[in-house]
Amino acid sequence: MSAELFRTCPESGLQFHKPAERLMKAHAVASIVFLLIGGVGALLVTLTRWPAVHLLPADRFYQLLTMHGVDMLIFWLITFEIAVLYFCSSTLLKCRLATPKIAWLGFALMMIGMVVNNLAVMNGDASVMMTSYVPMPANPNFYLGLILFAVGALIGCFVFLGTLVIAKEEKTYEGSIPLVTFGALTACIIAVFTIASGAIILIPTYLWSIGYINHIDPAMYRLIWWALGHSSQQINVAAHVAVWYAIAAIVFGARPLSEKVSRTAFFLYIAFLQLASAHHLLVDPGLSSEWKIFNTSYAMYLAVLASMVHGLTVPGSIEVAQRAKGLTNGLFEWLRKAPWSNPIFSGMFISLVGFGFIGGISGVIMGTEQINIIIHNTIYVPGHFHATVVIGTTLAFMSLTYFLIPTLFRKQVMFPGLVKWQPYLFGFGMAVFTLAMMGAGTLGVERRHWDMAFTDSMLGFDYPASAYTFMGIVGISGTAAVIGGAIFVLVTVLSVFFGKPVDSESAWGFTTSRVLRAEPIVVPEGGHAAAGKWGFAAPGTFLLAIFFLVIFVIYYVINWKYLASVWPIS
Amino acid sequence: MSAIQPPAEIVWWKQPLDRVEGTWIAIALTWSLIMFFMMPFWHIYGKQNLSNEAYRTTPQAFLAKTQAMVDEYTVRTETAANLPVVRPPPGSDVYLVGRLWQWWPLLEFEKGQTYRLHISSMDWQHGFSLQPVNINTQILPGYEMVLTVTPDTSGEQTIICNEFCGIGHHTMLGKIYVTEGGQ
Amino acid sequence: MNDQSSQDEIVRIPIMQRMLDNPFLLLFIGVVFPAVFYIIWGIMEIVTIPIAN
Ligand code: HEM
Ligand SMILES: [Cu+2]
Ligand SMILES: [Cu+2]
């Protein structure tokens, strides 16, 4: 361990392995470039789905929607996640990164793949949506780009695992890995399964597109493609939950309520979360109800249980930390006096609430075998997943970035006054956007659809006026969220490339960050529960959790009622 | 130690749970099980369940069966393209083709009667979305899906394609007319 | 160093904790479970779909 290979961040106390640091920077910057490209797509697509604007012609719309889906869901999130993996292994374990050269090879493959794929889409003969369902053909480079990217990302996963092995061997830590690293490990494991499935299906599809194979079975394709498509959302879930725990630790010095519960919850993710790929096949021909019910429910909703546990323990750990600091009045003083103008915290908290209340509830409900009949492929579906991957994952990653700009890039965050508002604009814009999409979806408005008025069709159909209102709200709130996203990209790029270096502690960034210097939380007389109520260490959080459950139950019942009003089918 | 540091204790598995966690886990687990058992429950007591009856087929074979039905039961044609409207007898096997970019033929059902509706695609994947009643399923080429439906509202229903199927996707419509019984 | 490993032997680590501390066991579980329940079972369902008459 030669000393010059490491640098200790004077403010946070984090220790960076320099080769790992360079890799993290490269991945973070590249991912934000994808976010920017995907964001341009988001704006144009949203303005087209806004009926009063209807901006793009049909072919451009489908082309840009393909681009938006792939660049956002695959390139932006996975590239950022590789940076998170390196941070959680090398930095948090204070360990050298395994094989930085091979990690750079992975990075190069990801970049090449991304360029090859985007050029294919730009060429105009790969507007097949990110799902590229066979037998609709795309330019072969579309698949090739995805394959190259996947191989690169897989290399990143193995570098992460290799670093865990080195850290253990070189004993850079004692006992077990930190909880956040364990969350990252969960994401990595899911990523390995995801990418392997992707390879199993995309390689034959590539060979089919260049004429070496003459048939790919569409049912088989969907089965295995969704092991890629949906599991990659589970990488995001595991990663952003890990980021929530990290930010609770960074901002409040919070410690998990119990390692056992939080880690077991992550374990339930590892074992069961990926089964939910079946969500997409609930109304497909030929799969039995037994298969559908077992898989769509993650084997009896064990992964939902895990998410509900994280949803309690993350804010619960914040509440305990706040109460230990003396914010013990009533049920919610700890929350009222939280640092709401610190975007690292506010973004994380909006991400948590939005993910749980909007994304989580809608996801479980539309993943119910029979209820899916009234939701499949309506715009309810993008409504749901923008709440998970945008409010949940993307916003959590944005918050983390505000922490990484001073610690990793050693630059001051520019325009702090503006940045304070960014999570609110982005988060609330997206919240309205997703709810309006769900409203329109409930009225049967379709996803991936250029013209809800069907003007070019021989047979017409009229949606109710309220569906148009909902889509108008989608347009307006989507545009607001795009502005929020643009502020993030702008501030990050300007700060990283043109920002003032961090010199003194006062200029360091958002002030509440304590990280490794954290004063240990003083356990009050009689344990944490004594600072709480009813023998609960985190009574305020518990009340919020009950509130969540009540909404969940009500909305669940409403959906069954709606289903019961549909024509009998068997 | 915070969540970004290794746990303070070497053995953390034996740490007692806080009451707030234990209580919430019990509640959440109960709810998870209720949601799980709701699905088989609905299979027994609910009326909206896919039978998952499906067959492997080919576009040619499926089109031939559809054509036979059209030849036998067409009652009129509609639109400038003379699309056939087919009124099959209640209880019979009805065939619906999805292809770029139409649902063919148009159908006429009688309220309260049951039909075995077979659907398949001639080319790419399509989405069968019946509006405004709101029934949605995925249609694949090479597979024939059977929905046993009993229309319980009369009037006009539109079949919209809700799986992206190329540049004409947003024009791909079909109709199911439901007449009052006894007509 | 030696301290640490001998300590491991003295302090008996519960089996569940050992499992959660073993990334490669977890990797195995995380790949095999979905591969069996979702993919293999699913493929079996698809290949057994009967041929239409
Ligand atoms: C301000 C930000 C955003 C806006 C306004 C926005 C808007 C939209 C709209 C209008 C659609 C089209 C829905 C349809 O017609 O089917 C869409 C699709 C989609 N968006 Fe976004 N989006 C945003 C950010 C994101 C982000 C950050 C991600 C991923 C992390 C994302 C992932 C997707 C995906 C995967 C699709 C589906 C593409 C497909 O159907 O193939 N979006 N988005
Ligand atoms: Cu279609
Ligand atoms: Cu279509």
Side-chain angles (χ1 to χ4, degrees):
Chain A
M1 262 212 242
S2 60
E4 71 272 25
L5 271 181
F6 283 85
R7 123 180 129 69
T8 303
C9 172
E11 288 82 14
S12 66
L14 292 172
Q15 196 176 317
F16 287 95
H17 177 227
K18 286 181 186 160
E21 187 179 14
R22 282 192 286 275
L23 277 157
M24 284 180 235
K25 285 183 181 172
H27 283 83
V29 169
S31 71
I32 288 171
V33 173
F34 301 149
L35 180 65
L36 171 64
I37 303 173
V40 173
L43 180 64
L44 297 174
V45 165
T46 304
L47 291 178
T48 308
R49 294 243 44 178
W50 181 351
V53 179
H54 210 224
L55 182 72
L56 300 174
D59 55 345
R60 283 279 169 219
F61 170 76
Y62 293 128
Q63 181 182 20
L64 279 162
L65 186 53
T66 306
M67 183 277 259
H68 172 68
V70 180
D71 279 339
M72 287 296 204
L73 201 67
I74 305 201
F75 298 153
W76 143 245
L77 291 175
I78 293 185
T79 311
F80 195 91
E81 273 149 11
I82 300 291
V84 171
L85 288 187
Y86 293 165
F87 178 81
C88 291
S89 53
S90 169
T91 308
L92 294 186
L93 297 177
K94 301 185 171 66
C95 175
R96 67 189 169 86
L97 190 79
T99 61
K101 287 218 176 81
I102 296 184
W104 279 110
L105 172 70
F107 179 71
L109 284 173
M110 288 165 75
M111 293 307 107
I112 297 169
M114 173 268 177
V115 171
V116 168
N117 175 283
N118 269 273
L119 287 178
V121 175
M122 258 199 257
N123 198 32
D125 54 357
S127 305
V128 291
M129 307 291 135
M130 56 170 190
T131 42
S132 57
Y133 289 139
V134 298
M136 181 192 284
N139 181 326
N141 286 343
F142 179 86
Y143 313 106
L144 184 64
L146 288 177
I147 294 168
L148 292 175
F149 183 87
V151 174
L154 194 59
I155 290 177
C157 291
F158 285 119
V159 170
F160 168 82
L161 290 171
T163 308
L164 292 190
V165 172
I166 294 179
K168 183 156 191 135
E169 252 162 32
E170 297 182 353
K171 299 213 185 320
T172 62
Y173 64 96
E174 269 184 34
S176 308
I177 55 177
L179 177 62
V180 170
T181 310
F182 191 74
L185 171 64
T186 305
C188 167
I189 290 172
I190 299 175
V192 170
F193 172 76
T194 301
I195 295 169
S197 310
I200 293 175
I201 197 62
L202 286 174
I203 292 174
T205 308
Y206 173 63
L207 295 176
W208 165 78
S209 72
I210 56 177
Y212 279 118
I213 292 183
N214 56 27
H215 180 69
I216 305 260
D217 184 274
M220 225 48 119
Y221 179 93
R222 286 172 61 81
L223 178 79
I224 301 174
W225 194 89
W226 280 112
L228 160 76
H230 200 84
S231 304
S232 84
Q233 308 327 303
Q234 320 299 18
I235 312 175
N236 303 334
V237 173
H240 76 225
V241 172
V243 169
W244 292 345
Y245 278 112
I247 289 178
I250 287 166
V251 177
F252 299 96
R255 49 183 291 178
L257 293 180
S258 93
E259 296 279 351
K260 173 169 149 184
V261 169
S262 297
R263 283 175 203 246
T264 307
F266 274 124
F267 174 71
L268 292 176
Y269 278 178
I270 294 176
F272 301 114
L273 201 51
Q274 304 159 74
L275 303 182
S277 306
H279 285 178
H280 300 265
L281 310 178
L282 293 176
V283 295
D284 269 35
L287 295 159
S288 69
S289 288
E290 290 79 11
W291 182 89
K292 289 177 178 174
I293 291 177
F294 180 84
N295 282 289
T296 196
S297 71
Y298 321 80
M300 304 208 182
Y301 290 109
L302 293 175
V304 173
L305 174 67
S307 289
M308 286 169 78
V309 168
H310 290 307
L312 178 91
T313 57
V314 174
S317 68
I318 294 177
E319 178 171 354
V320 169
Q322 292 277 75
R323 282 179 184 274
K325 277 192 273 169
L327 300 173
T328 51
N329 283 334
L331 284 172
F332 294 112
E333 192 191 17
W334 64 275
L335 190 58
R336 260 185 293 116
K337 299 215 172 137
W340 291 104
S341 57
N342 176 353
I344 305 176
F345 166 74
S346 66
M348 169 261 164
F349 207 81
I350 297 170
S351 155
L352 184 136
V353 172
F355 177 79
F357 278 80
I358 310 179
I361 293 181
S362 64
V364 173
I365 286 174
M366 68 188 202
T368 305
E369 191 206 2
Q370 295 94 339
I371 292 178
N372 192 256
I373 297 172
I374 56 176
I375 291 177
H376 179 73
N377 271 357
T378 65
I379 203 157
Y380 193 102
V381 178
H384 151 73
F385 68 65
H386 280 81
T388 57
V389 292
V390 187
I391 307 182
T393 315
T394 301
L395 189 50
F397 288 177
M398 287 174 170
S399 309
L400 185 66
T401 306
Y402 293 135
F403 168 72
L404 291 179
I405 293 172
T407 31
L408 175 63
F409 291 96
R410 307 295 297 149
K411 292 292 172 67
Q412 295 178 28
V413 178
M414 287 168 115
F415 313 113
L418 186 63
V419 170
K420 265 182 209 164
W421 293 103
Q422 191 272 337
Y424 295 95
L425 182 58
F426 188 74
F428 285 99
M430 260 296 137
V432 175
F433 173 90
T434 55
L435 292 171
M437 271 196 175
M438 290 179 200
T442 306
L443 297 170
V445 177
E446 317 294 1
R447 70 182 289 196
R448 299 177 164 177
H449 201 283
W450 178 68
D451 181 18
M452 68 185 285
F454 307 101
T455 27
D456 296 338
S457 175
M458 269 189 296
L459 309 155
F461 177 68
D462 292 319
Y463 283 110
S466 47
Y468 285 86
T469 312
F470 277 129
M471 292 310 288
I473 300 174
V474 165
I476 296 167
S477 54
T479 308
V482 168
I483 296 173
I487 295 175
F488 168 78
V489 173
L490 204 74
V491 167
T492 305
V493 171
L494 289 180
S495 308
V496 165
F497 290 104
F498 308 104
K500 279 195 240 130
V502 174
D503 34 27
S504 67
E505 190 160 334
S506 60
W508 186 63
F510 296 95
T511 44
T512 41
S513 306
R514 307 190 302 174
V515 199
L516 299 184
R517 298 173 306 152
E519 312 98 65
I521 293 172
V522 192
V523 180
E525 274 299 299
H528 285 302
K533 274 197 170 54
W534 316 317
F536 285 177
T541 305
F542 186 74
L543 207 68
L544 290 177
I546 294 293
F547 175 61
F548 168 81
L549 188 68
V550 169
I551 294 187
F552 197 166
V553 173
I554 293 174
Y555 191 55
Y556 187 70
V557 173
I558 290 177
N559 272 278
W560 280 109
K561 287 234 153 110
Y562 179 16
L563 177 70
S565 74
V566 168
W567 287 1
I569 3 175
S570 60
Chain B
M1 297 275 195
S2 77
I4 53 174
Q5 290 162 299
E9 305 82 0
I10 294 290
V11 178
W12 41 263
W13 185 258
K14 299 236 168 93
Q15 255 176 26
L17 288 196
D18 184 80
R19 191 146 139 207
V20 73
E21 284 184 299
T23 315
W24 179 244
I25 291 172
I27 297 173
L29 182 63
T30 312
W31 176 237
S32 298
L33 292 176
I34 292 175
M35 289 194 299
F36 177 76
F37 286 108
M38 195 58 203
M39 292 186 281
F41 173 85
W42 197 262
H43 271 281
I44 302 169
Y45 298 103
K47 293 211 175 96
Q48 292 77 17
N49 290 291
L50 296 183
S51 66
N52 299 313
E53 183 180 350
Y55 302 96
R56 212 174 275 284
T57 184
T58 61
Q60 298 75 12
F62 191 82
L63 188 61
K65 287 193 278 190
T66 313
Q67 188 66 52
M69 174 195 74
V70 170
D71 292 344
E72 195 167 354
Y73 298 115
T74 298
V75 289
R76 60 175 187 276
T77 60
E78 278 188 4
T79 77
N82 284 324
L83 297 175
V85 180
V86 175
R87 185 180 169 88
S92 67
D93 289 286
V94 183
Y95 297 88
L96 178 68
V97 161
R99 62 187 173 199
L100 306 173
W101 285 283
Q102 62 174 197
W103 293 103
W104 186 84
L106 311 186
L107 300 170
E108 190 167 284
F109 288 167
E110 197 175 298
K111 183 176 161 183
Q113 299 291 345
T114 299
Y115 299 84
R116 281 170 52 80
L117 179 59
H118 301 239
I119 318 173
S120 187
S121 162
M122 297 294 104
D123 33 58
W124 295 344
Q125 302 197 14
H126 298 283
F128 172 91
S129 177
L130 194 65
Q131 298 295 343
V133 67
N134 204 7
I135 295 174
N136 306 275
T137 68
Q138 188 79 22
I139 306 302
L140 309 181
Y143 290 90
E144 173 176 339
M145 169 181 251
V146 186
L147 290 180
T148 306
V149 292
T150 314
D152 62 2
T153 52
S154 58
E156 179 181 321
Q157 297 286 339
T158 303
I159 310 168
I160 304 173
C161 178
N162 75 357
E163 184 54 79
F164 174 67
C165 57
I167 191 65
H169 163 59
H170 49 269
T171 64
M172 179 166 168
L173 296 185
K175 293 281 174 189
I176 297 182
Y177 302 103
V178 183
T179 59
E180 283 297 334
Q183 257 183 299
Chain C
M1 289 227 163
N2 274 332
D3 271 14
Q4 168 72 38
S5 45
S6 52
Q7 202 187 351
D8 274 4
E9 279 147 34
I10 298 161
V11 186
R12 286 257 308 285
I13 311 250
I15 180 87
M16 281 303 289
Q17 178 172 338
R18 274 193 214 194
M19 186 181 85
L20 293 179
D21 278 346
N22 183 342
F24 293 95
L25 178 64
L26 296 176
L27 177 64
F28 179 78
I29 294 174
V31 172
V32 168
F33 266 49
V36 170
F37 291 114
Y38 175 81
I39 294 189
I40 296 179
W41 183 7
I43 289 178
M44 277 162 42
E45 300 254 313
I46 293 174
V47 297
T48 52
I49 297 176
I51 294 178
N53 44 16

